[in-house]
Amino acid sequence: MPLSKRFACALVTGASAGLGEEFVLQLAPRVDSFVLVARREDRLNELSAVIRARHPGKLVEVIAADLSRPQDVARVLDHLPQRGLVPDLLVNNAGLGDYGEFADAEWPRVEAMLRVNIEALTRLTHGVIPGMIRQKRGAIINISSLASTLPIPDIAVYSATKAYVTSFSEAIRVELRDHDIPVLAVCPGPVKTEFGEVARRSEEDSIPMNAAFYVSKEQVVAESLAALDADKPRVYPGLKVAIAAAVITALPLFAIRMIISRRPRR
């Protein structure tokens, strides 16, 4: 069984709830200090208090930032050297979704999704990699999605952004191999978090998901950290999700087109 990696400083985005919060809770025993980033400062402060109560003496830095704003992303990166923080673990968890046909989408919502899911993730990764290389240690966890394996109508932009995350993770993994910096793409199926509620455009909207594919946030994070320790490039948490991913990736393009053309209508 692989040994659990330890880290001096972990930067976790979207840390105020859901998978981000769970990553912080499960990483706490093996991380010396945290930089927690999310929009809701009050939720970050609550999580910080929990971590410091459970692990006295642990440093927890809180940065309230909206990662759909490039200036906020830059502020996060500028804050790190000011506080003498050099992350050797980056968990790019922050993400936005939008459920509905693209033609009816509000552009500010689409733009925010592109900026958070792609631009902020890429910028933060670019910003912390030099420090990891200098320290000769580090790791990156990028939260993608099972949706990255398919072009999915009604979440067209979201699934496309996650395809970028998975592809980007695989590519930089190869680039960073000589520096012993593993990169992991986490591709969960549906998880019971606030994400689905935020992705809906109205109270009447309901994102069609088979309940059998739901995986708890605790299991997603546990399998992700085990995959990181085992130096795996990608993980699909949950047996049924992993099987679905294997089937999807084996299908020819014409079959995928037939499947997505018969999607449930809103």
Side-chain angles (χ1 to χ4, degrees), residues 183-205:
V183 180
L184 171 68
V186 179
C187 303
V191 184
K192 291 188 183 299
T193 66
E194 297 174 6
F195 177 86
E197 297 299 315
V198 175
R200 297 191 305 171
R201 295 181 184 174
S202 71
E203 292 295 326
E204 292 73 34
D205 284 340

PDB file of all heavy atoms in Angstrom, residues 183-205:
ATOM      1  N   VAL A 183       0.321  14.976 -11.067  1.00  0.00           N
ATOM      2  CA  VAL A 183      -0.895  15.730 -11.381  1.00  0.00           C
ATOM      3  C   VAL A 183      -2.037  14.727 -11.518  1.00  0.00           C
ATOM      4  O   VAL A 183      -1.929  13.762 -12.280  1.00  0.00           O
ATOM      5  CB  VAL A 183      -0.743  16.552 -12.669  1.00  0.00           C
ATOM      6  CG1 VAL A 183      -2.026  17.329 -12.962  1.00  0.00           C
ATOM      7  CG2 VAL A 183       0.450  17.503 -12.576  1.00  0.00           C
ATOM      8  N   LEU A 184      -3.113  14.959 -10.793  1.00  0.00           N
ATOM      9  CA  LEU A 184      -4.244  14.047 -10.791  1.00  0.00           C
ATOM     10  C   LEU A 184      -5.502  14.767 -11.258  1.00  0.00           C
ATOM     11  O   LEU A 184      -5.836  15.845 -10.752  1.00  0.00           O
ATOM     12  CB  LEU A 184      -4.480  13.503  -9.368  1.00  0.00           C
ATOM     13  CG  LEU A 184      -5.752  12.686  -9.138  1.00  0.00           C
ATOM     14  CD1 LEU A 184      -5.686  11.359  -9.891  1.00  0.00           C
ATOM     15  CD2 LEU A 184      -5.987  12.469  -7.647  1.00  0.00           C
ATOM     16  N   ALA A 185      -6.202  14.171 -12.210  1.00  0.00           N
ATOM     17  CA  ALA A 185      -7.520  14.652 -12.615  1.00  0.00           C
ATOM     18  C   ALA A 185      -8.578  13.799 -11.930  1.00  0.00           C
ATOM     19  O   ALA A 185      -8.609  12.581 -12.107  1.00  0.00           O
ATOM     20  CB  ALA A 185      -7.676  14.583 -14.133  1.00  0.00           C
ATOM     21  N   VAL A 186      -9.416  14.431 -11.130  1.00  0.00           N
ATOM     22  CA  VAL A 186     -10.495  13.736 -10.429  1.00  0.00           C
ATOM     23  C   VAL A 186     -11.778  13.941 -11.229  1.00  0.00           C
ATOM     24  O   VAL A 186     -12.184  15.086 -11.472  1.00  0.00           O
ATOM     25  CB  VAL A 186     -10.667  14.278  -8.998  1.00  0.00           C
ATOM     26  CG1 VAL A 186     -11.814  13.560  -8.287  1.00  0.00           C
ATOM     27  CG2 VAL A 186      -9.369  14.135  -8.222  1.00  0.00           C
ATOM     28  N   CYS A 187     -12.403  12.838 -11.632  1.00  0.00           N
ATOM     29  CA  CYS A 187     -13.568  12.908 -12.518  1.00  0.00           C
ATOM     30  C   CYS A 187     -14.780  12.249 -11.871  1.00  0.00           C
ATOM     31  O   CYS A 187     -15.176  11.130 -12.243  1.00  0.00           O
ATOM     32  CB  CYS A 187     -13.252  12.236 -13.854  1.00  0.00           C
ATOM     33  SG  CYS A 187     -11.817  12.913 -14.718  1.00  0.00           S
ATOM     34  N   PRO A 188     -15.390  12.903 -10.891  1.00  0.00           N
ATOM     35  CA  PRO A 188     -16.535  12.294 -10.222  1.00  0.00           C
ATOM     36  C   PRO A 188     -17.796  12.374 -11.069  1.00  0.00           C
ATOM     37  O   PRO A 188     -17.925  13.231 -11.954  1.00  0.00           O
ATOM     38  CB  PRO A 188     -16.683  13.142  -8.954  1.00  0.00           C
ATOM     39  CG  PRO A 188     -16.141  14.483  -9.342  1.00  0.00           C
ATOM     40  CD  PRO A 188     -15.037  14.212 -10.320  1.00  0.00           C
ATOM     41  N   GLY A 189     -18.722  11.468 -10.772  1.00  0.00           N
ATOM     42  CA  GLY A 189     -20.064  11.588 -11.299  1.00  0.00           C
ATOM     43  C   GLY A 189     -20.843  12.528 -10.390  1.00  0.00           C
ATOM     44  O   GLY A 189     -20.265  13.408  -9.753  1.00  0.00           O
ATOM     45  N   PRO A 190     -22.161  12.344 -10.266  1.00  0.00           N
ATOM     46  CA  PRO A 190     -22.950  13.234  -9.408  1.00  0.00           C
ATOM     47  C   PRO A 190     -22.601  13.066  -7.930  1.00  0.00           C
ATOM     48  O   PRO A 190     -22.404  11.954  -7.453  1.00  0.00           O
ATOM     49  CB  PRO A 190     -24.392  12.807  -9.688  1.00  0.00           C
ATOM     50  CG  PRO A 190     -24.294  11.419 -10.226  1.00  0.00           C
ATOM     51  CD  PRO A 190     -23.001  11.353 -10.972  1.00  0.00           C
ATOM     52  N   VAL A 191     -22.484  14.190  -7.243  1.00  0.00           N
ATOM     53  CA  VAL A 191     -22.167  14.216  -5.818  1.00  0.00           C
ATOM     54  C   VAL A 191     -23.182  15.139  -5.146  1.00  0.00           C
ATOM     55  O   VAL A 191     -23.507  16.203  -5.682  1.00  0.00           O
ATOM     56  CB  VAL A 191     -20.739  14.740  -5.557  1.00  0.00           C
ATOM     57  CG1 VAL A 191     -20.401  14.677  -4.076  1.00  0.00           C
ATOM     58  CG2 VAL A 191     -19.723  13.961  -6.374  1.00  0.00           C
ATOM     59  N   LYS A 192     -23.667  14.752  -3.979  1.00  0.00           N
ATOM     60  CA  LYS A 192     -24.649  15.582  -3.280  1.00  0.00           C
ATOM     61  C   LYS A 192     -23.949  16.743  -2.580  1.00  0.00           C
ATOM     62  O   LYS A 192     -23.514  16.634  -1.431  1.00  0.00           O
ATOM     63  CB  LYS A 192     -25.440  14.736  -2.284  1.00  0.00           C
ATOM     64  CG  LYS A 192     -26.372  13.728  -2.953  1.00  0.00           C
ATOM     65  CD  LYS A 192     -27.277  13.052  -1.953  1.00  0.00           C
ATOM     66  CE  LYS A 192     -28.154  12.004  -2.631  1.00  0.00           C
ATOM     67  NZ  LYS A 192     -29.039  12.578  -3.658  1.00  0.00           N
ATOM     68  N   THR A 193     -23.819  17.852  -3.306  1.00  0.00           N
ATOM     69  CA  THR A 193     -23.254  19.080  -2.758  1.00  0.00           C
ATOM     70  C   THR A 193     -24.139  20.237  -3.210  1.00  0.00           C
ATOM     71  O   THR A 193     -25.149  20.052  -3.886  1.00  0.00           O
ATOM     72  CB  THR A 193     -21.812  19.312  -3.252  1.00  0.00           C
ATOM     73  OG1 THR A 193     -21.838  19.559  -4.671  1.00  0.00           O
ATOM     74  CG2 THR A 193     -20.924  18.116  -2.969  1.00  0.00           C
ATOM     75  N   GLU A 194     -23.732  21.467  -2.878  1.00  0.00           N
ATOM     76  CA  GLU A 194     -24.481  22.654  -3.296  1.00  0.00           C
ATOM     77  C   GLU A 194     -24.328  22.935  -4.787  1.00  0.00           C
ATOM     78  O   GLU A 194     -25.050  23.762  -5.332  1.00  0.00           O
ATOM     79  CB  GLU A 194     -24.003  23.869  -2.498  1.00  0.00           C
ATOM     80  CG  GLU A 194     -24.254  23.760  -1.008  1.00  0.00           C
ATOM     81  CD  GLU A 194     -23.644  24.919  -0.245  1.00  0.00           C
ATOM     82  OE1 GLU A 194     -23.127  25.859  -0.895  1.00  0.00           O
ATOM     83  OE2 GLU A 194     -23.663  24.893   0.997  1.00  0.00           O
ATOM     84  N   PHE A 195     -23.406  22.248  -5.450  1.00  0.00           N
ATOM     85  CA  PHE A 195     -23.100  22.550  -6.842  1.00  0.00           C
ATOM     86  C   PHE A 195     -24.340  22.440  -7.727  1.00  0.00           C
ATOM     87  O   PHE A 195     -24.617  23.314  -8.549  1.00  0.00           O
ATOM     88  CB  PHE A 195     -22.011  21.594  -7.356  1.00  0.00           C
ATOM     89  CG  PHE A 195     -21.684  21.777  -8.808  1.00  0.00           C
ATOM     90  CD1 PHE A 195     -20.749  22.717  -9.207  1.00  0.00           C
ATOM     91  CD2 PHE A 195     -22.316  21.024  -9.787  1.00  0.00           C
ATOM     92  CE1 PHE A 195     -20.449  22.891 -10.550  1.00  0.00           C
ATOM     93  CE2 PHE A 195     -22.025  21.191 -11.124  1.00  0.00           C
ATOM     94  CZ  PHE A 195     -21.089  22.136 -11.502  1.00  0.00           C
ATOM     95  N   GLY A 196     -25.104  21.356  -7.581  1.00  0.00           N
ATOM     96  CA  GLY A 196     -26.271  21.144  -8.423  1.00  0.00           C
ATOM     97  C   GLY A 196     -27.318  22.221  -8.248  1.00  0.00           C
ATOM     98  O   GLY A 196     -27.960  22.648  -9.222  1.00  0.00           O
ATOM     99  N   GLU A 197     -27.489  22.683  -6.995  1.00  0.00           N
ATOM    100  CA  GLU A 197     -28.467  23.742  -6.740  1.00  0.00           C
ATOM    101  C   GLU A 197     -28.059  25.038  -7.428  1.00  0.00           C
ATOM    102  O   GLU A 197     -28.883  25.742  -8.003  1.00  0.00           O
ATOM    103  CB  GLU A 197     -28.608  23.970  -5.229  1.00  0.00           C
ATOM    104  CG  GLU A 197     -29.146  22.766  -4.467  1.00  0.00           C
ATOM    105  CD  GLU A 197     -30.532  22.365  -4.944  1.00  0.00           C
ATOM    106  OE1 GLU A 197     -31.376  23.259  -5.123  1.00  0.00           O
ATOM    107  OE2 GLU A 197     -30.758  21.156  -5.153  1.00  0.00           O
ATOM    108  N   VAL A 198     -26.777  25.354  -7.388  1.00  0.00           N
ATOM    109  CA  VAL A 198     -26.285  26.581  -8.000  1.00  0.00           C
ATOM    110  C   VAL A 198     -26.378  26.506  -9.523  1.00  0.00           C
ATOM    111  O   VAL A 198     -26.605  27.515 -10.195  1.00  0.00           O
ATOM    112  CB  VAL A 198     -24.828  26.858  -7.554  1.00  0.00           C
ATOM    113  CG1 VAL A 198     -24.254  28.074  -8.266  1.00  0.00           C
ATOM    114  CG2 VAL A 198     -24.770  27.053  -6.041  1.00  0.00           C
ATOM    115  N   ALA A 199     -26.195  25.297 -10.082  1.00  0.00           N
ATOM    116  CA  ALA A 199     -26.199  25.137 -11.535  1.00  0.00           C
ATOM    117  C   ALA A 199     -27.586  25.301 -12.137  1.00  0.00           C
ATOM    118  O   ALA A 199     -27.721  25.622 -13.326  1.00  0.00           O
ATOM    119  CB  ALA A 199     -25.634  23.764 -11.909  1.00  0.00           C
ATOM    120  N   ARG A 200     -28.638  25.109 -11.346  1.00  0.00           N
ATOM    121  CA  ARG A 200     -29.996  25.236 -11.864  1.00  0.00           C
ATOM    122  C   ARG A 200     -30.327  26.694 -12.153  1.00  0.00           C
ATOM    123  O   ARG A 200     -29.920  27.588 -11.423  1.00  0.00           O
ATOM    124  CB  ARG A 200     -31.018  24.680 -10.862  1.00  0.00           C
ATOM    125  CG  ARG A 200     -30.872  23.197 -10.587  1.00  0.00           C
ATOM    126  CD  ARG A 200     -32.060  22.665  -9.819  1.00  0.00           C
ATOM    127  NE  ARG A 200     -32.305  23.409  -8.579  1.00  0.00           N
ATOM    128  CZ  ARG A 200     -33.386  23.257  -7.818  1.00  0.00           C
ATOM    129  NH1 ARG A 200     -34.326  22.397  -8.181  1.00  0.00           N
ATOM    130  NH2 ARG A 200     -33.528  23.955  -6.706  1.00  0.00           N
ATOM    131  N   ARG A 201     -31.101  26.911 -13.223  1.00  0.00           N
ATOM    132  CA  ARG A 201     -31.495  28.272 -13.567  1.00  0.00           C
ATOM    133  C   ARG A 201     -32.768  28.704 -12.856  1.00  0.00           C
ATOM    134  O   ARG A 201     -33.055  29.896 -12.761  1.00  0.00           O
ATOM    135  CB  ARG A 201     -31.679  28.398 -15.089  1.00  0.00           C
ATOM    136  CG  ARG A 201     -30.387  28.196 -15.856  1.00  0.00           C
ATOM    137  CD  ARG A 201     -30.609  28.352 -17.343  1.00  0.00           C
ATOM    138  NE  ARG A 201     -29.381  28.054 -18.080  1.00  0.00           N
ATOM    139  CZ  ARG A 201     -29.310  28.005 -19.414  1.00  0.00           C
ATOM    140  NH1 ARG A 201     -30.390  28.233 -20.144  1.00  0.00           N
ATOM    141  NH2 ARG A 201     -28.162  27.718 -20.007  1.00  0.00           N
ATOM    142  N   SER A 202     -33.580  27.749 -12.414  1.00  0.00           N
ATOM    143  CA  SER A 202     -34.806  28.074 -11.703  1.00  0.00           C
ATOM    144  C   SER A 202     -35.149  26.937 -10.753  1.00  0.00           C
ATOM    145  O   SER A 202     -34.584  25.848 -10.832  1.00  0.00           O
ATOM    146  CB  SER A 202     -35.960  28.296 -12.683  1.00  0.00           C
ATOM    147  OG  SER A 202     -36.350  27.070 -13.275  1.00  0.00           O
ATOM    148  N   GLU A 203     -36.092  27.182  -9.864  1.00  0.00           N
ATOM    149  CA  GLU A 203     -36.510  26.163  -8.907  1.00  0.00           C
ATOM    150  C   GLU A 203     -37.144  24.968  -9.601  1.00  0.00           C
ATOM    151  O   GLU A 203     -37.125  23.854  -9.089  1.00  0.00           O
ATOM    152  CB  GLU A 203     -37.512  26.771  -7.912  1.00  0.00           C
ATOM    153  CG  GLU A 203     -36.908  27.803  -6.963  1.00  0.00           C
ATOM    154  CD  GLU A 203     -35.873  27.196  -6.031  1.00  0.00           C
ATOM    155  OE1 GLU A 203     -36.046  26.022  -5.645  1.00  0.00           O
ATOM    156  OE2 GLU A 203     -34.897  27.892  -5.694  1.00  0.00           O
ATOM    157  N   GLU A 204     -37.716  25.206 -10.797  1.00  0.00           N
ATOM    158  CA  GLU A 204     -38.389  24.132 -11.520  1.00  0.00           C
ATOM    159  C   GLU A 204     -37.415  23.192 -12.211  1.00  0.00           C
ATOM    160  O   GLU A 204     -37.754  22.063 -12.551  1.00  0.00           O
ATOM    161  CB  GLU A 204     -39.349  24.713 -12.567  1.00  0.00           C
ATOM    162  CG  GLU A 204     -40.561  25.430 -11.987  1.00  0.00           C
ATOM    163  CD  GLU A 204     -40.202  26.775 -11.382  1.00  0.00           C
ATOM    164  OE1 GLU A 204     -39.285  27.439 -11.917  1.00  0.00           O
ATOM    165  OE2 GLU A 204     -40.820  27.159 -10.363  1.00  0.00           O
ATOM    166  N   ASP A 205     -36.196  23.664 -12.465  1.00  0.00           N
ATOM    167  CA  ASP A 205     -35.210  22.839 -13.159  1.00  0.00           C
ATOM    168  C   ASP A 205     -34.764  21.691 -12.275  1.00  0.00           C
ATOM    169  O   ASP A 205     -34.550  21.848 -11.074  1.00  0.00           O
ATOM    170  CB  ASP A 205     -33.979  23.670 -13.555  1.00  0.00           C
ATOM    171  CG  ASP A 205     -34.252  24.547 -14.762  1.00  0.00           C
ATOM    172  OD1 ASP A 205     -35.201  24.249 -15.507  1.00  0.00           O
ATOM    173  OD2 ASP A 205     -33.521  25.532 -14.952  1.00  0.00           O
TER     174      ASP A 205
END
